[in-house]
Amino acid sequence: VQLQASGGGAVQAGGSLRLACAASGRTSSNYAMGWFRQAPGKERECVAAIMWSGGSMYYADSVKGRFTISRDNAKNTVWLQMNSLKPEDTAVYSCAAGSTIIATIDRPNYWGQGTQVTVSS
């Protein structure tokens, strides 16, 4: 599975961004997908994940109520809608895929390249 993330950029606090992760590969739609972020000097964290059917989702406490993960298997794309952005959301965001949500959060099988999100106060 190959993953390509896009949609990062610079916004002011309170603004919104929508990240997209395009997946390719014959069975890409069978994988759970997740979005991770890593800020300078901090550990990488999973902020959201979604199972292959879209029926179950995970959100980190820090983004609950502000971020929404969704997927369209027909388009092989997963999105991360980020609203009410805060300066502490500034990080490199990457998408990843795994066999289950838990596996994706813990140890994804596949990674895409990162996209920078910068939120200014």
Side-chain angles (χ1 to χ4, degrees):
V1 176
Q2 293 79 47
L3 305 173
Q4 180 78 29
S6 62
V11 295
Q12 291 188 328
S16 298
L17 281 173
R18 190 189 195 199
L19 306 182
C21 178
S24 60
R26 287 191 302 172
T27 59
S28 60
S29 62
N30 292 338
Y31 286 87
M33 300 289 292
W35 283 98
F36 290 73
R37 69 184 181 187
Q38 186 165 23
K42 294 187 177 181
E43 292 189 357
R44 183 168 56 197
E45 64 168 334
C46 181
V47 296
I50 186 168
M51 70 179 292
W52 68 270
S53 68
S56 293
M57 288 161 278
Y58 160 84
Y59 292 99
D61 288 342
S62 57
V63 306
K64 280 182 181 176
R66 301 188 298 122
F67 290 12
T68 302
I69 189 171
S70 60
R71 69 187 295 165
D72 184 335
N73 288 336
K75 297 181 179 179
N76 290 324
T77 302
V78 176
W79 292 276
L80 184 68
Q81 178 68 44
M82 306 185 294
N83 298 327
S84 301
L85 283 162
K86 304 175 182 180
E88 51 263 43
D89 294 318
T90 295
V92 175
Y93 286 71
S94 303
C95 57
S99 56
T100 65
I101 283 185
I102 299 298
T104 299
I105 295 169
D106 185 53
R107 189 175 295 180
N109 297 101
Y110 304 98
W111 286 96
Q113 93 295 350
T115 185
Q116 177 70 44
V117 171
T118 302
V119 185
S120 58
S121 58

